[in-house]
Amino acid sequence: MSPRAGSTGPHTLAFVESPVQLLNVLEWAHTSAHHGTAPGAGLTLVVLSPNDPMTRGQLRRMAELARDEGHAVRWEEARGGSTAPFHTIGGLAPLLRRARRIVMGDPFSRYVQLLLTITRAPDLVVVDDGTATMEFVAQLARGERLVRWHRKGGRPGPRDLLFAPVSSLARRRLTPSERRTVEVFSSMPIDETPIGVRVSANDFSWTRARFGPPRLTKGADLVGTSLVETGVVDPDRYLQAVRTLAKAHGATRYFAHRRESVEKLHRLAAETGLEIVRPDLPLELIARRGPIGRTILSFPSTVVHTLPLALAGTEVRVAVCDIDPSWLTENASPRAQGFLSGVTGTARDVHRLSAVTSA
């Protein structure tokens, strides 16, 4: 763990819970430096560590990169037992009260929403947490409560009702006012911009400056998704789609999403013959470092927006395969199909493949 911020506290506090969020904080800091609004030495990255080993491993690698860039990193075992949240929030409260700017990767996170109730920072920044950013901005513009897109519609559960006052206050904090500015730093297409929110573009300039260009292989690589794990897509239909795609395009490697289950990956390897790769960094960095296939195949996900930016200037082609409605589970949110179609339809610089239909 790096030394904690000095007695005056950091100017900017950034809260991250995933490797991609941490990457996008580094991109934001890099872009801010070029625009003359750098957070400077006052940026402290606070990792609210999850329990998942794969995510923790990627976060530790990303934390090393952040320290290499001169940023302070504070690692919090935020989920290490029932009392961990109280220790974490209590320890961070003094820094939260002094910080002038708060950067966050997931405004849907209950942890982040709790922290937002403590701070009075006049500047708030939301960096990409993948496609969820699109939904967050749309919900904020419409004045809706903050709910992740893959959650099934219907009445809120007991925990939702208990947390509702905190969530409501967090949404108010994320609404610009005379005393508070809100910025969204994103590589995602944003159609509905809330009044007063400043949207700035993430073009992955730090990633391109720091890594690559990659060596390209002749074949194709396939990018995995956690849509099965989130209950959106049927596992058997997903496996059939992966098998069909790999055969049609000559894919040999499958880059697993950090949240994919070990059982599913074992089954994929056994039934498709694909080499399963569990990356130790976000895919944007893995692809930029190489070697990487000349074609990258993906289902609707964040990478169909980010990889073309990270791989700009290379000959890599990113191709996206639509999710067929028949793949969805009965527990999938009513919004799932429309949201996934929107992710695909708004992607720039990608080749679109029609959905794989089950035999």
Side-chain angles (χ1 to χ4, degrees), residues 149-334:
W149 67 268
H150 56 74
R151 294 268 301 271
K152 191 171 184 179
R155 296 174 61 182
R159 291 182 65 188
D160 295 316
L161 293 172
L162 188 65
F163 203 79
V166 172
S167 185
S168 179
L169 179 56
R171 189 179 69 240
R172 290 199 298 275
R173 288 274 157 84
L174 286 162
T175 302
S177 67
E178 292 181 358
R179 296 177 296 173
R180 187 167 45 252
T181 65
V182 179
E183 175 188 356
V184 174
F185 178 75
S186 177
S187 59
M188 300 289 124
I190 294 175
D191 297 325
E192 301 176 78
T193 305
I195 296 172
V197 171
R198 181 162 61 91
V199 177
S200 50
N202 177 8
D203 64 0
F204 284 87
S205 56
W206 177 81
T207 295
R208 286 184 281 109
R210 187 80 156 70
F211 300 99
R215 178 173 66 83
L216 306 185
T217 64
K218 292 181 181 179
D221 290 323
L222 207 153
V223 177
T225 173
S226 60
L227 289 172
V228 169
E229 283 71 15
T230 52
V232 175
V233 169
D234 176 80
D236 292 329
R237 297 291 178 89
Y238 182 76
L239 189 138
Q240 175 63 34
V242 169
R243 183 192 295 117
T244 303
L245 266 183
K247 185 176 180 180
H249 296 273
T252 56
R253 293 189 299 177
Y254 179 98
F255 285 93
H257 188 281
R258 60 186 173 81
R259 287 200 295 265
E260 287 188 85
S261 71
V262 172
E263 294 77 18
K264 186 180 83 174
L265 294 175
H266 281 322
R267 187 182 171 197
L268 276 170
E271 298 189 29
T272 67
L274 287 165
E275 175 193 355
I276 306 297
V277 180
R278 302 210 74 171
D280 61 351
L281 288 168
L283 193 61
E284 294 79 8
L285 302 188
I286 294 292
R288 187 70 197 177
R289 292 193 313 177
I292 195 73
R294 289 183 180 274
T295 298
I296 299 177
L297 303 162
S298 175
F299 296 103
S301 80
T302 305
V303 298
V304 304
H305 295 275
T306 59
L307 282 179
L309 295 169
L311 293 167
T314 71
E315 297 177 7
V316 177
R317 182 185 74 148
V318 178
V320 58
C321 176
D322 277 322
I323 297 291
D324 189 281
S326 67
W327 302 358
L328 300 181
T329 68
E330 62 180 16
N331 293 321
S333 162

